[in-house]
Amino acid sequence: MPEFVLTTRTTTYAMAVDDAGLLRTVHWGGRIDDVSDLIPLPMWDLSTNDMYADIAAEEYPVHGRFRYKEQCLAVTFADGTREMRPVVTGSTELDDDDGRHLVLHLEDSEFGVTIDLHYVALHDLDLIERWAVIGNTGPEPFTIEAAASAQFHVPFQDLTFRNMHGMWAAELQEFSQQVSYGKIVVESRKGVSNHNHNPSFILDDGADETSGQVWFGALKYPGNFKAVVEQSQYGGTAVQIGINDYDFALRLVPGQSLRTPAVVAGYSDSGLGTMSHRMHAYGRDLMRPALRDVLYNSWEATSFDVTTANQTRLAQLAQRIGAELFVVDDGWFGRRGAEADGLGDWWVNRDKFPDGLTPLIDEVQQLGMRFGIWVEPEMVNPRADLYRDHPDWIHRDPVREPDTARDQYVLNLALPAVQEFVVEMLDDLLSTNDISYVKWDANRPMSQVGVDRSVWLAHARALIDVVARIKDRHPDVMIEACASGGGRIDLGTLSVFDDFWTSDNTDALDRLTIQRSYSLLYPIKAMRAWVTDSPNFLTQRSIPLKFRFHSAMMGTLGIGADLSHFSDEDLETSTQLVAQYKDVRETIQNGDFHRLSNPSPNDYRLFQYSRPEQSVLFAFLPSSRIGRRGTRARLRGLDPDARYRFYANWAWQQKSGAWLMHHGIDLWLMGDYASEIITVDRIGQP
Ligand code: GLA
């Protein structure tokens, strides 16, 4: 009975092949060093209606036999057979810089299917990675109808399931619900990952930020995903995650294989905070290490009406307040005057930029800033030259008239010709202009994908591949992932992109909610947040400048306001706040993030970022309730014996880490939209 055990800093993940030949999960939880204890319990059919294969907590259940539970893999063989009977044939240890990499080999030799289950123990990050490779070693093609990345088993019931729901301009709204008998499904069917749910799962056993058990995972995939939580009749809770099997079919010819996206998963016995720290560290490891620039983006200021003159004026003001990167958004190309034109025609619009982009780029660089630009490479307008020349390049049904959304079609990035077009177009743009930053947008969902049901997967894969190729040719260019706001916030996207545009909702109060949910799993360093005008274009809410800045300073700071309407006083305030951000951004972008508790009946929102040498506390009071009650911010993650220095309550203070964590800083914010940032510096070396 071979056992397979993965150990990370504080967790153990163990599997075994049982007497019936099934590969079962034996343990996913706290660390157990004596592996001889990790053997599966004997099990048997409970009745003729409750059969063993349905009860067992399998690592990668396949379709067939007495399995009625969620299954990871379903195929149809050439002769119509659909049942699979894989057995474990062995295991391999691979050399892997990231950690111990174990591959379990399963095979259904009668039909020539191999299933390699990959497990990487990321010891220091305290996480594991899992994916599967399905191979066709037989003489005939077969069709994969479902291929999840993994199934996990939590040995408890009545857990809480947590995810994010949302829509355009209201992405990433955390919700939680009690798991009970039946299933919970979160998914995307739109071709991008994230507008409605997030490709991740969080299950907890009554956890809060600092205590309790949490089992979690996130899929490295920017396309259609599905996560299913199933509380079994037989005890325990299963969670499965992977490519969505909705409208999916993939033909595998002999010799071919499918590698599913990886899922990054972990267990914390110290609540949601620990989960976030580990996932943030994982996310940061995917990213390039440089601290992110303070950027200015012109979208909310000038919309499609970008010209050399108005962008130059904005660039001068952006430089004055301390921006380091100036990004021209939509409108600079083709015949783009509004939404209906230009996408696909990526030549510089000479009415708006008579001498090309160079004069503006020169101006931006002379001001000491880098230059960035917006593109939407997967899209085309029906009126564009590109569409006239290549009507067969879009996702479409063979005979039906394709629908537009925002007046545009989606290019079929699965086609090699489209991939070449996108790579060459961007290569040319980046080679002929000194561009340091690209905002890559995708403003509508995929639809009407035609006869080939593997195209959802192929498009998502091609996206990653194409971006990677562009970055190979232009390694210094940073690329921001935007999909109508925060439509692509997932670890697959983060494996090639450098920034997330979090949401088109730039209302500083709404953003506190979005950013809090984002922070559950995704790194702060990738969370772009802008200071925009008041009242906000979307919510019509008026919020003071300082609160707008403080809200945006919680991520990677950007400014999207029309600075030409700012008073000198507002420009001066902005300058000071940008400078303050730069002083603490290392802690914000690379530190541990803490969602602090608020003991006050007043609606304070308290957040902390910490590195050994510094913590930064953010306090927000959107609306003062009757009684103007204060709150107390008890910090986390400090050295109890160290001394720290900070300015609060109108005085410089020195306190021990123990005092800051156990007693805490009293805060009295007054009025509406009050906010404060307190920097807590350690005295002496960590
Ligand atoms: C999307 C993006 C915005 C902006 C516009 C431009 O909505 O999310 O930030 O770039 O497109 O058309």
Side-chain angles (χ1 to χ4, degrees):
M1 196 186 291
E3 277 113 37
F4 308 103
V5 181
L6 300 157
T7 308
T8 67
R9 204 156 40 78
T10 67
T11 75
T12 292
Y13 191 94
M15 305 151 267
V17 181
D18 70 10
D19 291 340
L22 298 187
L23 178 62
R24 278 169 47 192
T25 313
V26 176
H27 178 74
W28 184 26
R31 181 163 160 168
I32 299 168
D33 284 332
D34 189 345
V35 298
S36 65
D37 291 338
L38 294 167
I39 47 171
L41 279 178
M43 292 177 74
W44 47 86
D45 296 341
L46 291 177
S47 79
T48 49
N49 294 296
D50 304 282
M51 304 292 271
Y52 177 69
D54 214 29
I55 301 168
E58 287 181 272
E59 281 289 295
Y60 202 76
V62 297
H63 178 80
R65 315 199 98 159
F66 290 108
R67 289 191 188 88
Y68 308 97
K69 60 192 180 186
E70 280 299 304
Q71 297 145 13
C72 287
L73 184 63
V75 306
T76 300
F77 295 109
D79 66 358
T81 299
R82 291 168 51 233
E83 176 160 300
M84 266 178 292
R85 298 189 170 201
V87 294
V88 176
T89 56
S91 66
T92 312
E93 293 266 356
L94 296 179
D95 280 340
D96 199 321
D97 291 345
D98 293 334
R100 177 163 179 236
H101 185 159
L102 176 70
V103 190
L104 305 187
H105 307 290
L106 288 82
E107 187 173 8
D108 182 337
S109 53
E110 211 180 329
F111 281 86
V113 189
T114 56
I115 306 169
D116 284 344
L117 300 180
H118 290 253
Y119 299 83
V120 180
L122 302 168
H123 183 273
D124 294 345
L125 289 170
D126 231 354
L127 297 166
I128 61 167
E129 267 186 317
R130 285 184 63 181
W131 68 93
V133 180
I134 319 302
N136 183 347
T137 53
E140 307 263 14
F142 60 78
T143 301
I144 300 179
E145 276 142 21
S149 294
Q151 193 170 108
F152 295 90
H153 297 274
V154 177
F156 299 97
Q157 299 217 313
D158 302 325
L159 299 167
T160 299
F161 171 71
R162 199 178 302 259
N163 197 269
M164 286 80 108
H165 74 97
M167 53 186 268
W168 173 77
E171 298 87 342
L172 300 167
Q173 307 286 305
E174 178 184 343
F175 72 97
S176 60
Q177 68 190 85
Q178 169 97 45
V179 181
S180 185
Y181 294 102
K183 293 177 193 173
I184 299 172
V185 179
V186 289
E187 63 176 348
S188 166
R189 299 179 171 201
K190 293 184 168 174
V192 297
S193 57
N194 188 66
H195 265 130
N196 305 123
H197 297 292
N198 191 263
S200 59
F201 65 86
I202 301 170
L203 290 164
D204 76 75
D205 187 15
D208 59 20
E209 285 294 327
T210 53
S211 67
Q213 304 192 86
V214 190
W215 296 262
F216 55 92
L219 193 66
K220 277 175 102 171
Y221 184 57
N224 287 354
F225 79 93
K226 184 164 108 176
V228 185
V229 179
E230 180 174 21
Q231 177 163 305
S232 156
Q233 308 300 325
Y234 310 109
T237 303
V239 54
Q240 180 171 305
I241 190 164
I243 300 166
N244 203 339
D245 55 358
Y246 160 78
D247 202 29
F248 174 76
L250 176 71
R251 194 163 175 268
L252 223 53
V253 300
Q256 263 186 340
S257 62
L258 166 69
R259 177 182 163 149
T260 71
V263 51
V264 185
Y267 163 81
S268 152
D269 64 359
S270 47
L272 298 163
T274 299
M275 167 191 79
S276 299
H277 299 158
R278 291 192 201 149
M279 290 301 284
H280 290 189
Y282 182 91
R284 284 197 303 267
D285 275 6
L286 292 176
M287 299 171 67
R288 283 186 275 179
L291 291 176
R292 297 302 185 257
D293 284 339
V294 175
L295 68 72
Y296 179 85
N297 179 294
S298 65
W299 173 243
E300 288 196 26
T302 44
S303 181
F304 298 101
D305 180 26
V306 287
T307 61
T308 308
N310 67 18
Q311 298 304 290
T312 301
R313 178 77 190 119
L314 287 170
Q316 287 161 348
L317 292 165
Q319 186 267 349
R320 178 170 157 192
I321 65 168
E324 298 156 312
L325 169 68
F326 183 82
V327 183
V328 174
D329 209 278
D330 199 346
W332 59 269
F333 51 89
R335 289 179 291 274
R336 190 86 161 160
E339 294 174 354
D341 278 304
L343 295 175
D345 297 340
W346 298 105
W347 35 268
V348 179
N349 182 306
R350 295 280 162 168
D351 294 335
K352 300 179 182 184
F353 298 90
D355 301 311
L357 294 171
T358 308
L360 176 61
I361 297 177
D362 286 350
E363 175 73 26
V364 166
Q365 291 180 338
Q366 272 157 28
L367 288 164
M369 293 185 291
R370 283 178 277 278
F371 183 80
I373 203 153
W374 179 96
V375 288
E376 198 176 358
E378 297 155 85
M379 303 289 162
V380 66
N381 290 117
R383 295 211 296 237
D385 297 347
L386 183 75
Y387 185 67
R388 186 198 58 215
D389 296 344
H390 300 286
D392 51 337
W393 275 11
I394 64 167
H395 289 293
R396 69 189 310 162
D397 191 87
V399 289
R400 303 282 184 194
E401 184 65 24
D403 294 329
T404 56
R406 212 192 194 216
D407 282 313
Q408 63 200 53
Y409 299 134
V410 186
L411 291 173
N412 182 353
L413 202 56
L415 298 174
V418 175
Q419 294 166 18
E420 286 319 298
F421 166 75
V422 171
V423 171
E424 295 306 326
M425 177 277 283
L426 271 157
D427 186 31
D428 184 55
L429 184 68
L430 299 175
S431 305
T432 49
N433 298 285
D434 194 352
I435 292 173
S436 309
Y437 190 89
V438 171
K439 176 176 171 188
W440 178 304
D441 209 338
N443 272 309
R444 58 154 287 180
M446 284 166 58
S447 66
Q448 299 153 303
V449 297
V451 289
D452 180 359
R453 293 179 191 204
S454 69
V455 82
W456 300 98
L457 169 66
H459 188 116
R461 288 260 153 99
L463 171 77
I464 299 298
D465 187 52
V466 160
V467 174
R469 284 172 63 193
I470 293 161
K471 287 178 73 168
D472 264 358
R473 294 193 199 177
H474 300 277
D476 297 332
V477 175
M478 295 259 184
I479 308 188
E480 172 179 357
C482 172
S484 250
R488 273 182 181 145
I489 294 181
D490 61 80
L491 291 178
T493 298
L494 196 62
S495 61
V496 283
F497 287 87
D498 302 284
D499 258 346
F500 290 129
W501 179 224
T502 318
S503 175
D504 278 347
N505 185 341
T506 55
D507 176 291
L509 177 59
D510 284 353
R511 270 302 184 96
L512 291 185
T513 307
I514 292 172
Q515 293 172 179
R516 187 182 202 285
S517 313
Y518 170 101
S519 78
L520 286 170
L521 296 169
Y522 299 102
I524 303 298
K525 191 182 200 163
M527 185 176 81
R528 268 289 162 198
W530 302 346
V531 178
T532 55
D533 286 316
S534 180
N536 184 270
F537 85 100
L538 191 79
T539 62
Q540 291 304 309
R541 188 157 32 212
S542 296
I543 296 184
L545 185 61
K546 193 173 106 185
F547 189 101
R548 281 182 275 145
F549 255 98
H550 285 171
S551 170
M553 286 162 75
M554 286 190 59
T556 56
L557 177 62
I559 292 97
D562 186 350
L563 295 176
S564 62
H565 295 152
F566 270 36
S567 64
D568 280 343
E569 191 189 337
D570 281 351
L571 288 170
E572 185 47 38
T573 305
S574 303
T575 307
Q576 284 168 15
L577 289 163
V578 170
Q580 185 185 4
Y581 179 76
K582 289 177 183 169
D583 278 348
V584 293
R585 79 171 134 190
E586 168 98 51
T587 304
I588 288 174
Q589 295 185 13
N590 286 335
D592 278 343
F593 182 67
H594 307 270
R595 295 169 291 268
L596 299 183
S597 56
N598 167 37
S600 169
N602 228 332
D603 181 25
Y604 284 91
R605 321 277 177 95
L606 304 172
F607 306 100
Q608 179 202 344
Y609 302 75
S610 66
R611 287 189 301 139
E613 50 274 76
Q614 184 179 67
S615 277
V616 184
L617 169 66
F618 282 69
F620 298 92
L621 181 63
S623 174
S624 220
R625 295 200 185 128
I626 191 162
R628 295 189 320 210
R629 303 269 282 275
T631 193
R632 182 173 286 181
R634 283 187 296 159
L635 304 192
R636 297 189 191 136
L638 306 183
D639 176 349
D641 299 325
R643 302 288 296 173
Y644 295 86
R645 186 167 185 272
F646 57 96
Y647 187 85
N649 299 320
W650 310 278
W652 281 103
Q653 307 190 34
Q654 283 191 18
K655 296 286 183 190
S656 69
W659 185 92
L660 285 160
M661 291 192 290
H662 302 315
H663 179 88
I665 305 174
D666 286 313
L667 294 165
W668 288 274
L669 301 187
M670 309 284 261
D672 293 343
Y673 298 114
S675 59
E676 199 169 332
I677 296 179
I678 295 174
T679 305
V680 178
D681 287 310
R682 183 184 170 122
I683 299 168
Q685 291 301 310

